[in-house]
């Protein structure tokens, strides 16, 4: 039978040291938690932790902080912004009851959106630990998070793609070649986002200006982003650079964010700076949206910085979504397999983590995409990524990456290609963001049904692209 923090299972009494210990030991096996020394030692102990966790009242998460309130601004953010009115409909539930409520047919997208501000990251992480993969998919599919800048992201029946034209030396012509390739495959509605090889503000400004020239000249209803540190972006804004979105990697504890060189106040300053530019109102639009932030996360980031406070890596990741939620981002994505096998050892662990991340982010009201990826020293391959990508598409994923050939030659890891996005859209009957889909049709890149048209050397879109100074 189960008690508050103990349970008798298989003739043995299992005792857990509070929520932090219970959550860690209830987590599906992953190498990062073993590395941190917080994982269950056996499958029986893991099941015992889940039985205990199922009986924990959701209210307990509001009074028992996993990371101390006094020393962690992420905890303070979560506690101080908790919406008690939104929480009220589920306040009487245990974690196990919450799982049943989420899976109930009567709990629809509107009900999930209504309670999202009342769900803390720890609650989301806890209930995910009681769920099978199919449960994570079924609930996430019901969660709808819609955001806007120059187009609309997250609508039902839509799958956006980040066009990722990275280049190892930031060569503008090389980046332009990848951009053109991606656009002709219908990628780029989420963002055209470049990971720069340099931290030179002058060089970064050149990249921002090039993205702006392409987007403005072709009147593409999308947004550009150079994924540099937020302080570099602030300097570019101060110097008048045409910044659309502010990017930053974030984590789930104050100490881990300090490792990234950021604070919540700095993120707020950057958001205010981007909003002041009113870039979403380009092309004659009436300011289609004001979601100006782009965040990336990943399980293991807090542990790798020794900033996890004994909290399991998946719960730390959910706390990162609590940070993201506070800044109303256009896009947030987990770079699920990028950090390496020390944290997610193989394809099975990466697949599970990707489904958990998507579920927790969407449940909290965050527009969650996924960089379905792995590093070459992980026990994973492209078949594993096909599986995760297809499962996430079924779960209603907001966006994926579009990398030429799925091989990022600058960051040296394996992601998803332009062709992968085409496969997923075709398989599941998904379309681009509506404004972007209309542009593709006007440019004769797709037909009225969203199917790609053949791109010959005389394609009208190519003719316009060749007139750009950066065109290869």
């Amino acid at each position: 039978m189960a008690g508050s923090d103990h349970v008798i299972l298989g003739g043995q009494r299992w005792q857990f040291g509070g929520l932090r210990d219970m959550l860690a030991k209830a987590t599906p096996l992953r190498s990062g938690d073993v590395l941190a020394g917080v994982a269950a030692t056996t499958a029986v102990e893991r099941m015992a932790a889940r039985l205990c966790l199922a009986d924990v009242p959701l209210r307990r998460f509001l009074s028992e902080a996993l990371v101390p309130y006094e020393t962690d601004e992420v905890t303070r953010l979560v506690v101080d912004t908790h919406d008690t009115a939104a929480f009220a409909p589920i306040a009487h539930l245990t974690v196990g009851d919450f799982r049943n409520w989420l899976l109930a047919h009567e709990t629809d997208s509107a009900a999930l959106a209504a309670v999202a501000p009342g769900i803390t990251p720890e609650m989301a992480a806890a209930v995910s630990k009681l769920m099978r993969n199919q449960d994570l998919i079924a609930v996430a599919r019901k969660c709808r998070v819609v955001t806007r800048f120059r187009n609309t992201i997250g609508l039902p029946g839509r799958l956006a793609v980040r066009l990722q034209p990275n280049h190892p030396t930031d060569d503008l012509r090389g980046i332009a070649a990848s951009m053109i390739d991606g656009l002709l495959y219908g990628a780029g509605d989420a963002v055209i986002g470049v990971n720069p090889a340099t931290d030179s503000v002058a060089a970064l400004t050149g990249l921002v200006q090039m993205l702006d020239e392409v987007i403005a000249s072709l009147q593409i209803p999308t947004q550009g982003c150079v994924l540099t540190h937020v302080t570099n972006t602030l300097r570019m804004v101060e110097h008048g650079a045409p910044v659309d979105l502010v990017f930053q990697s974030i984590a789930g504890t104050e100490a881990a964010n300090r490792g990234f060189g950021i604070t919540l106040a700095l993120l707020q300053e950057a958001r205010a700076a981007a909003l002041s530019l009113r870039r979403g109102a380009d092309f004659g639009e009436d300011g289609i949206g004001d979601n100006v932030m782009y965040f990336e996360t990943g399980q293991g980031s807090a542990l790798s910085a020794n900033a996890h406070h004994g909290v399991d890596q998946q719960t730390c990741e959910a706390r990162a979504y609590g940070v993201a939620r506070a800044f109303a981002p256009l896009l947030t994505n987990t770079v699920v397999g990028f950090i390496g096998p020390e944290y997610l050892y193989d394809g099975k662990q990466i697949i599970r983590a990707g489904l958990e991340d998507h579920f927790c982010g969407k449940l909290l009201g965050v527009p969650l995409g996924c960089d379905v990826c792995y590093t070459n020293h992980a026990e994973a391959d492209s078949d594993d990524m096909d599986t995760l990508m297809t499962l996430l598409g079924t779960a209603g994923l907001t966006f994926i990456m579009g990398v030429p050939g799925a091989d990022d030659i600058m960051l040296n890891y394996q992601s998803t290609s332009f062709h992968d996005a085409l496969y997923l859209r075709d398989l599941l009957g998904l379309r681009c963001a509506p404004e972007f889909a209309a542009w593709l049709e006007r440019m004769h890149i797709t037909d009225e049904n969203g199917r790609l048209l053949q791109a010959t050397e005389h394609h009208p879109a190519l003719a316009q692209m060749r007139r750009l100074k950066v065109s290869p």
Side-chain angles (χ1 to χ4, degrees), residues 161-165 178-180 182-183 187-189 191-194 402 418:
V161 179
R162 171 189 159 190
L163 205 174
Q164 186 170 313
S178 294
M179 287 173 58
I180 292 169
L183 290 169
D189 47 342
V191 63
I192 302 176
V194 178
F418 306 139

Side-chain angles (χ1 to χ4, degrees), residues 146-155 158 160 186 188-190 218-223 280 282-283 285 287-289 330 425 431-443 446:
V146 179
T147 57
R148 296 176 175 86
F149 189 69
R150 291 201 190 100
N151 57 21
T152 308
I153 305 294
L155 292 170
R158 306 282 173 169
D189 47 342
L218 299 176
Q219 294 286 286
I220 311 171
T222 191
Q223 35 283 327
D282 287 356
F283 313 150
E285 301 285 350
I288 190 169
L330 179 75
R425 283 171 172 163
R431 299 285 299 273
C432 309
E435 302 86 354
F436 192 80
W439 178 81
L440 291 174
E441 187 178 344
R442 287 197 305 272
M443 296 291 285
T446 63

Side-chain angles (χ1 to χ4, degrees), residues 227-252:
L227 282 68
T228 187
H229 193 269
V230 63
T231 53
N232 290 331
T233 304
L234 273 170
R235 291 175 65 188
M236 288 192 287
V237 171
E238 291 167 0
H239 293 130
V243 171
D244 288 343
L245 304 183
V246 174
F247 168 81
Q248 183 56 47
S249 295
I250 57 172

Side-chain angles (χ1 to χ4, degrees), residues 12 20 23 95-96 105 134 136 169 181 195-196 225 229 244 252 261 271 296 300-301 312 315 362 364 387 438-439 472:
Q12 182 174 350
R20 182 188 305 163
L23 286 165
V95 176
H105 291 298
Q134 65 176 248
L136 298 172
T169 63
D181 189 24
N195 295 92
C225 185
H229 193 269
D244 288 343
R271 181 172 183 267
E296 282 191 344
S301 58
D312 68 273
T315 301
K362 286 290 186 64
L364 292 169
T387 299
W439 178 81

Side-chain angles (χ1 to χ4, degrees), residues 358-424:
H358 181 246
F359 164 84
C360 288
K362 286 290 186 64
L363 192 62
L364 292 169
V366 175
L368 225 292
C370 184
D371 190 341
V372 179
C373 63
Y374 64 102
T375 57
N376 288 317
H377 63 310
E379 291 294 322
D381 58 27
S382 58
D383 286 338
D384 295 315
M385 299 306 104
D386 284 350
T387 299
L388 177 55
M389 177 179 64
T390 305
L391 292 174
L392 286 171
T394 305
L397 184 71
T398 300
F399 70 106
I400 63 172
M401 305 300 123
V403 177
D407 184 9
D408 192 306
I409 58 173
M410 197 281 280
L411 293 175
N412 195 29
Y413 78 117
Q414 307 302 309
S415 184
T416 47
S417 70
F418 306 139
H419 296 81
D420 290 330
L422 290 179
Y423 148 78
L424 206 53

Side-chain angles (χ1 to χ4, degrees), residues 19-20 23 61 64-81 119-126 128-129 250-257 264 267 295-302 307-327 332 356-357 360-361 364 366 368:
L19 284 180
R20 182 188 305 163
L23 286 165
F61 291 94
E64 185 176 334
L66 304 187
V67 184
Y69 180 93
E70 296 76 15
T71 58
D72 186 88
E73 67 174 357
V74 174
T75 299
R76 292 194 293 275
L77 172 71
V78 170
V79 172
D80 295 347
T81 61
I119 300 171
T120 69
E122 292 83 357
M123 293 175 194
S128 75
K129 298 174 193 296
I250 57 172
T253 70
E254 178 179 343
N257 282 326
L264 300 183
L267 294 178
F295 296 124
E296 282 191 344
T297 66
Q299 287 195 30
S301 58
H308 60 296
H309 298 274
V311 178
D312 68 273
Q313 66 182 38
Q314 190 256 331
T315 301
C316 283
E317 175 73 0
R319 284 168 56 92
Y321 305 147
V323 174
R325 177 169 64 177
F327 296 96
T332 300
E356 289 169 346
D357 294 351
C360 288
L364 292 169
V366 175
L368 225 292

